[in-house]
Amino acid sequence: MTLKDIAEIAGTSLSTVSRSLNNSPLISEETRARIQAIASAHGFQPNASARSLATSRTGTIGLILPENYDRFDGLLYNAALHNDLRRSLERAELDTIVAFKQNRVSRQDNIEKLVTRKKVDGLILVQPDIDRKSVRFLEERTIPYVLIQYPPDEPNPPYDVFYSDSWTGGRIVAQHLLDIGCHRPLCITGGQERQSRQRVDGFRDAYKASGLPEDTVTVLHGDYSAASAAALIHENLENIGNYDALFAVNDLMAFGAMEVLRASGIRIPEDIAVVGFDDTALATALIPSLTSVHQPEEEIAFLACERLLELIDERTEFGRRISEARTTSLQPRLVIRESSGSRRKPAASDGTGAS
Amino acid sequence: MTLKDIAEIAGTSLSTVSRSLNNSPLISEETRARIQAIASAHGFQPNASARSLATSRTGTIGLILPENYDRFDGLLYNAALHNDLRRSLERAELDTIVAFKQNRVSRQDNIEKLVTRKKVDGLILVQPDIDRKSVRFLEERTIPYVLIQYPPDEPNPPYDVFYSDSWTGGRIVAQHLLDIGCHRPLCITGGQERQSRQRVDGFRDAYKASGLPEDTVTVLHGDYSAASAAALIHENLENIGNYDALFAVNDLMAFGAMEVLRASGIRIPEDIAVVGFDDTALATALIPSLTSVHQPEEEIAFLACERLLELIDERTEFGRRISEARTTSLQPRLVIRESSGSRRKPAASDGTGAS
DNA sequence: TGATTTTATGCAAGCGGTTGCGTTATTTTC
DNA sequence: GAAAATAACGCAACCGCTTGCATAAAATCA
């Protein structure tokens, strides 16, 4: 079933059919209605390849995932983000090609492939192992693209980024713990990436600002896995009584730590308050439920898509980006649950309001 | 950069370039090499739309996910499967359009859309809310497609299905528990879907076959969530001493149950052995680590892709499926961990060998 | 050496849409 | 009432690639 078939049925020319289906104002109201009726009666759908060949728009965007996407901790968080993104894109009738950054067998860069073959109108790069090469490539080609979830390393990067402010995330955890009277916190990090570091920095900075001694915050280094956190706690079990709070930079490590703590008879939150990060589904499943930092992933997904659509429109109209690149930092919020909740002091005494 | 450009540079005709790049035997070795060199020097990639318009092959397949994909328990398992599938497809240089079955805003059926617009060469349907309508549609159009992870409801369905045998999964759990001397098992189901029921049936059948009384297996009904399992255990806490084993039909419920058990001072596995299902990353993260049924998702992904490629080839050659539809059931295997491990009896006394 | 096959390349017609421009019929304007 | 503007539609070129068929050159054969 092609335009030609519809044209024959309707007894008009092929171009009239095309215009009718695209709601062109050049066509009279009756013919348009008549043709649209015929088309939908026959279940006509335009051939996507033919259309994009003619219009050089594909109606598809590329969602590029980092190589380590299948690591468990990332899986939980990213899969949710991923779904939110697709949901956002379907509002604009865009299909989504999901790809890893590199094809593992042909070693081809999927970004370059999708772009030069003109399979996509734009790209969403999720937590990319950002390399200057890809960015330069995309900029040279004036391809619409946005980045998600990566605190940029320069103040005003040439691209659009949407990320959840890790530093603030760490800070609001610290404020909450100070609020409930925890003055000897232990912190478990995940790695040396900026994201993990910033969470710890925000945490540490807030403790510094509270006037407590410099060395108040103890930091141990894990690798995002539950096992690593469990091992760390296990090794430091004899000193664990020195701490009254535990902040893990992701929920999974909080979980691993809690396992060992409880196995050792340490009560949560009475003996030690525990806070995680990412507010994954794990947080509510745990007993006691886990206080965690919720990242506004739905909002990030929504805004990133909106922006991408803008960029696509600009490109079809002017051939390139017109508006300036923006770096958008979204604020995470703390979800207080049992793992720190019941220790909470009645009311703030020092005016630092953590919401 | 198009074929025409390359042709001008090489001083040949456009069709010679096309044939050279497609390794047609009609072209002499030298010209082919020369043209390929020029093309790759200029980073030429063929326009995907133009090529598929000419060949009616898109180099893209559609991966259709069920609506409830973002439910937590499914997320864990499916996201892993999903990654495995994409990895398998990239071996064949196929891109993947990922879509939910229905567009939530336009209410359009994405299967029909992707197929009639000719955006994909074939489809992989993951745990579809299988409806006769879609199947009939795909069959009429002779579209290559395979189903994953759905025990078919008829013995010889007209499509290709790959699934993990739930019944056997339940059975091997029971055999293991019998092996380690558990004679009073409690079972927590997830829902009324065939998948959940079959896991329980396999479990129950194996216990029946062991010669124990009919009512040996107690079954409680949850909803796949950790909270539901926790609630069930909580309600039945006073009777829990009657049981020496707990089988949950997914890891998440095993997790929820374990939380309550431990909070109540019940030891795992000494007082009660616990077994989950799906062998998600949760299983190794738990303390004690969770015995669970591992589904061969990598193998399923691999076989499903292989088969889909066959179907696509058949269709391009003959216009329709030639080979008969096969139902492929893959065998899950039990991964024994701490939550049931240390209770294990030294050697089998009755010859039922659980591997 | 002329006729026939083989080999290498070019021509041109699609694939199924979109869209600028031309044509015809109908209104509007003075 | 004739000229100009407007409205509705058709023609045909084009998007970039593939491929059947024609052609020319080289190789093989009688």
Side-chain angles (χ1 to χ4, degrees):
Chain A
M1 181 100 313
T2 71
L3 279 193
K4 202 171 144 201
D5 300 327
I6 305 284
E8 276 168 15
I9 297 174
T12 71
S13 84
L14 190 152
S15 41
T16 299
V17 176
S18 171
R19 293 200 172 95
S20 297
L21 297 178
N22 291 325
N23 293 316
S24 156
L26 295 179
I27 301 296
S28 73
E29 198 52 56
E30 315 100 77
T31 14
R32 182 218 313 270
R34 192 167 60 87
I35 289 180
Q36 286 187 350
I38 294 176
S40 81
H42 291 257
F44 171 81
Q45 298 267 58
N47 180 306
S49 306
R51 172 176 278 186
S52 31
L53 186 55
T55 60
S56 62
R57 292 193 54 158
T58 61
T60 309
I61 72 103
L63 180 56
I64 308 293
L65 302 176
E67 293 300 322
N68 68 348
Y69 179 75
D70 35 12
R71 227 176 48 193
F72 178 52
D73 63 303
L75 232 175
L76 266 184
Y77 177 74
N78 283 327
L81 172 67
H82 180 150
N83 284 340
D84 287 332
L85 280 169
R86 281 212 314 287
R87 288 284 179 213
S88 261
L89 287 167
E90 73 180 10
R91 286 181 306 118
E93 290 287 328
L94 286 171
D95 295 314
T96 313
I97 287 188
V98 181
F100 291 112
K101 210 182 148 208
Q102 201 184 57
N103 184 314
R104 276 194 193 165
V105 316
S106 73
R107 294 258 143 250
Q108 242 213 337
D109 184 328
N110 276 325
I111 295 180
E112 299 193 7
K113 185 183 119 186
L114 291 174
V115 166
T116 47
R117 299 203 164 176
K118 300 242 170 68
K119 274 201 141 182
V120 295
D121 294 333
L123 293 168
I124 297 178
L125 312 180
V126 177
Q127 288 186 337
D129 322 313
I130 197 166
D131 59 53
R132 305 240 157 252
K133 187 161 145 287
S134 296
V135 169
R136 206 173 47 230
F137 173 80
L138 293 169
E139 288 296 332
E140 275 170 9
R141 301 271 186 135
T142 67
I143 304 297
Y145 71 104
V146 298
L147 270 70
I148 280 192
Q149 281 290 319
Y150 210 91
D153 34 20
E154 30 185 333
N156 286 309
Y159 39 75
D160 290 85
V161 212
F162 298 81
Y163 68 98
S164 168
D165 180 356
S166 305
W167 190 87
T168 299
R171 190 176 56 78
I172 61 181
V173 171
Q175 282 190 344
H176 168 59
L177 292 177
L178 282 165
D179 250 21
I180 61 173
C182 297
H183 290 177
R184 301 182 314 279
L186 175 62
C187 180
I188 303 185
T189 75
Q192 284 307 306
E193 303 89 43
R194 206 168 318 120
Q195 183 163 306
S196 174
R197 282 212 318 273
Q198 288 187 350
R199 291 176 183 184
V200 177
D201 287 347
F203 187 77
R204 212 187 247 133
D205 290 352
Y207 262 92
K208 271 186 201 153
S210 75
L212 290 170
E214 283 284 318
D215 59 348
T216 299
V217 178
T218 308
V219 177
L220 298 177
H221 299 281
D223 67 1
Y224 293 114
S225 75
S228 75
L232 285 178
I233 299 295
H234 206 76
E235 290 165 15
N236 294 275
L237 213 48
E238 63 267 28
N239 313 322
I240 217 73
N242 297 337
Y243 306 109
D244 55 6
L246 170 66
F247 169 44
V249 302
N250 72 353
D251 284 352
L252 197 59
M253 291 199 300
F255 164 58
M258 281 170 73
E259 294 282 292
V260 179
L261 289 173
R262 277 183 312 194
S264 319
I266 295 162
R267 293 166 308 163
I268 302 167
E270 292 81 358
D271 298 327
I272 190 166
V274 178
V275 179
F277 211 110
D278 287 347
D279 192 28
T280 56
L282 208 55
T284 53
L286 282 164
I287 300 177
S289 57
L290 179 65
T291 295
S292 189
V293 177
H294 181 84
Q295 308 206 47
E297 65 205 38
E298 319 83 356
E299 200 184 347
I300 289 180
F302 181 84
L303 292 174
C305 290
E306 292 287 298
R307 179 59 181 149
L308 185 61
L309 294 179
E310 272 177 42
L311 289 171
I312 291 176
D313 287 343
E314 287 183 3
R315 177 166 145 115
T316 46
E317 190 166 359
F318 308 103
R320 59 182 186 81
R321 183 215 313 270
I322 294 299
S323 55
E324 280 193 17
R326 291 191 284 271
T327 295
T328 308
S329 128
L330 282 300
Q331 295 306 309
R333 65 169 208 278
L334 189 68
V335 181
I336 297 171
R337 297 203 181 83
E338 295 163 1
S339 70
S340 74
S342 54
R343 277 183 67 122
R344 196 174 201 181
K345 281 188 179 169
S349 51
D350 57 358
T352 26
S355 69
Chain B
M1 183 101 308
T2 71
L3 279 193
K4 202 173 146 203
D5 300 326
I6 305 283
E8 277 169 14
I9 296 175
T12 72
S13 84
L14 191 150
S15 42
T16 300
V17 176
S18 172
R19 291 200 173 95
S20 298
L21 296 178
N22 291 325
N23 293 316
S24 155
L26 294 180
I27 301 294
S28 74
E29 198 52 58
E30 316 99 79
T31 20
R32 184 219 312 271
R34 193 168 59 87
I35 287 180
Q36 286 187 349
I38 294 176
S40 80
H42 290 259
F44 172 80
Q45 299 266 58
N47 181 306
S49 307
R51 172 175 278 185
S52 31
L53 186 55
T55 60
S56 61
R57 291 192 57 157
T58 62
T60 309
I61 72 101
L63 180 57
I64 307 293
L65 303 176
E67 294 299 323
N68 68 347
Y69 178 73
D70 35 13
R71 226 175 47 190
F72 177 54
D73 64 302
L75 230 174
L76 265 184
Y77 177 75
N78 283 327
L81 173 67
H82 180 150
N83 285 339
D84 287 331
L85 281 169
R86 279 214 314 287
R87 288 283 177 214
S88 261
L89 287 167
E90 74 179 10
R91 286 181 305 119
E93 290 286 327
L94 286 171
D95 296 313
T96 313
I97 286 187
V98 181
F100 291 112
K101 209 179 149 211
Q102 201 184 56
N103 184 314
R104 277 195 192 164
V105 314
S106 73
R107 294 256 144 255
Q108 241 212 338
D109 184 327
N110 276 325
I111 295 180
E112 300 193 6
K113 184 182 119 187
L114 290 174
V115 166
T116 45
R117 299 205 164 175
K118 298 240 170 69
K119 275 202 139 180
V120 295
D121 295 334
L123 293 169
I124 297 178
L125 311 180
V126 177
Q127 286 186 338
D129 321 313
I130 199 164
D131 58 53
R132 305 240 157 252
K133 189 164 145 282
S134 296
V135 169
R136 206 173 46 229
F137 173 81
L138 292 168
E139 287 295 334
E140 276 171 8
R141 301 273 186 135
T142 66
I143 304 297
Y145 71 104
V146 298
L147 269 69
I148 280 192
Q149 281 291 318
Y150 210 92
D153 34 22
E154 30 185 334
N156 286 309
Y159 39 76
D160 291 86
V161 213
F162 298 81
Y163 68 99
S164 170
D165 180 355
S166 304
W167 189 88
T168 299
R171 190 177 55 78
I172 60 181
V173 171
Q175 282 189 344
H176 168 60
L177 291 177
L178 284 164
D179 249 21
I180 62 173
C182 296
H183 289 179
R184 301 183 313 281
L186 174 62
C187 180
I188 303 184
T189 74
Q192 284 308 305
E193 302 90 44
R194 204 168 320 115
Q195 181 162 308
S196 175
R197 282 211 318 273
Q198 288 187 351
R199 291 176 184 184
V200 176
D201 287 348
F203 187 79
R204 212 187 248 132
D205 289 353
Y207 262 93
K208 270 186 203 153
S210 76
L212 290 170
E214 283 284 319
D215 59 349
T216 299
V217 178
T218 309
V219 177
L220 299 177
H221 299 282
D223 68 0
Y224 292 115
S225 75
S228 74
L232 285 178
I233 299 294
H234 206 76
E235 288 164 16
N236 294 276
L237 212 48
E238 63 265 28
N239 314 322
I240 216 76
N242 297 338
Y243 305 109
D244 55 7
L246 171 65
F247 169 44
V249 301
N250 72 354
D251 284 353
L252 197 60
M253 290 200 300
F255 165 57
M258 281 170 73
E259 293 282 293
V260 178
L261 290 172
R262 276 182 314 193
S264 318
I266 295 161
R267 292 166 308 165
I268 303 167
E270 292 82 0
D271 298 327
I272 190 166
V274 179
V275 179
F277 211 111
D278 286 347
D279 192 30
T280 56
L282 208 55
T284 53
L286 281 164
I287 301 177
S289 57
L290 179 66
T291 295
S292 190
V293 177
H294 182 84
Q295 308 205 48
E297 65 203 37
E298 319 81 357
E299 200 183 348
I300 289 180
F302 181 85
L303 292 175
C305 289
E306 291 288 297
R307 179 60 179 147
L308 184 61
L309 293 178
E310 272 179 42
L311 290 172
I312 291 176
D313 287 344
E314 286 184 1
R315 175 163 146 117
T316 48
E317 191 167 359
F318 308 104
R320 60 183 186 82
R321 182 212 316 269
I322 295 300
S323 55
E324 279 193 17
R326 291 192 284 271
T327 294
T328 309
S329 129
L330 283 299
Q331 294 307 307
R333 67 171 207 278
L334 189 67
V335 181
I336 297 171
R337 298 204 181 84
E338 295 162 1
S339 70
S340 74
S342 55
R343 279 183 66 126
R344 195 172 202 179
K345 280 187 180 168
S349 50
D350 56 359
T352 26
S355 67

